[in-house]
């Protein structure tokens, strides 16, 4: 029997407030009969946890970014402050654009080693901010999944 893709819906409480619910359904055979089994899961706590973690990441005092295919997919506020670029500018940039040219090979190799688990210690390199000033950065990189695709959290 086939599974049906989960859906997220808003349900209404007696007081007219709404809450998110995941609805899953699948067809099963029960006592020789084909039936549809439907499950409901309240997502309120999960959404609260997601919002809490998002707040921590966005407001963290350390620069954080998510990278896919050499492009920034997410940068937090501190990353913008450190580089001098806006979020929009960074999301349209190649990640190596802000790396000091002589350090690009080091950054690439160290990143690959960390993503493969061959290196655990952070690496240090120079960056160039929007105003052209050089700055030293200590960075760690870890593999993650973002939008169902491989990515790096830096």
């Amino acid at each position: 029997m086939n599974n049906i893709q989960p859906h997220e819906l808003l349900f209404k409480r007696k007081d007219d407030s709404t809450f998110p619910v995941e609805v899953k359904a699948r067809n099963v055979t029960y006592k020789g009969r084909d039936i549809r089994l439907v499950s409901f899961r309240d997502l309120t706590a999960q959404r609260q946890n997601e919002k809490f973690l998002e707040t921590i990441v966005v407001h963290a005092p350390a620069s954080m970014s998510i990278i896919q295919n050499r492009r920034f997919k997410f940068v937090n506020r501190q990353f913008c402050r450190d580089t001098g670029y806006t979020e929009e500018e960074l999301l349209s940039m190649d990640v190596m654009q802000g790396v000091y040219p002589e350090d690009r090979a080091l950054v690439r190799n160290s990143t690959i080693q960390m993503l493969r688990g061959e290196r655990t210690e952070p690496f240090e390199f120079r960056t160039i901010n929007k105003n052209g000033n050089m700055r030293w950065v200590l960075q760690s990189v870890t593999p993650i999944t973002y939008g169902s695709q491989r990515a790096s959290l830096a």
Side-chain angles (χ1 to χ4, degrees):
M1 296 263 142
N2 59 342
N3 288 341
I4 298 170
Q5 288 287 2
H7 293 281
E8 189 173 316
L9 302 172
L10 284 178
F11 278 30
K12 191 177 277 195
R13 294 183 179 98
K14 288 181 182 180
D15 67 1
D16 275 344
S17 65
T18 59
F19 62 101
V21 174
E22 179 184 65
V23 181
K24 289 183 179 179
R26 66 184 177 127
N27 298 326
V28 297
T29 302
Y30 177 73
K31 294 184 179 181
R33 294 181 41 201
D34 291 337
I35 64 169
R36 176 162 292 168
L37 181 63
V38 180
S39 65
F40 301 88
R41 184 169 64 106
D42 184 346
L43 298 174
T44 304
Q46 180 179 330
R47 292 294 175 264
Q48 289 171 339
N49 289 338
E50 289 169 357
K51 186 68 176 164
F52 174 72
L53 291 173
E54 178 185 343
T55 301
I56 290 172
V57 169
V58 167
H59 298 285
S63 289
M64 298 176 81
S65 64
I66 295 175
I67 301 164
Q68 281 178 334
N69 302 319
R70 291 181 55 135
R71 294 276 187 213
F72 294 109
K73 296 297 182 178
F74 167 83
V75 292
N76 71 351
R77 291 179 183 172
Q78 187 61 46
F79 195 96
C80 294
R81 283 192 285 271
D82 288 347
T83 63
Y85 290 99
T86 66
E87 178 182 7
E88 294 76 24
E89 290 171 321
L90 288 162
L91 296 179
S92 68
M93 290 172 55
D94 182 288
V95 295
M96 289 296 190
Q97 185 175 333
V99 176
Y100 201 75
E102 287 83 358
D103 292 352
R104 289 178 181 165
L106 167 88
V107 170
R108 183 180 185 285
N109 293 335
S110 297
T111 297
I112 290 169
Q113 289 173 342
M114 289 193 94
L115 292 174
R116 290 181 178 164
E118 299 166 358
R119 178 186 181 122
T120 57
E121 296 174 8
F123 55 96
E124 199 171 24
F125 62 97
R126 294 169 288 182
T127 62
I128 304 167
N129 70 13
K130 187 174 181 176
N131 296 331
N133 297 323
M134 189 272 295
R135 177 182 179 159
W136 283 96
V137 172
L138 184 64
Q139 181 165 299
S140 291
V141 180
T142 190
I144 63 168
T145 300
Y146 183 75
S148 303
Q149 296 179 5
R150 289 182 350 180
S152 304
L153 174 64

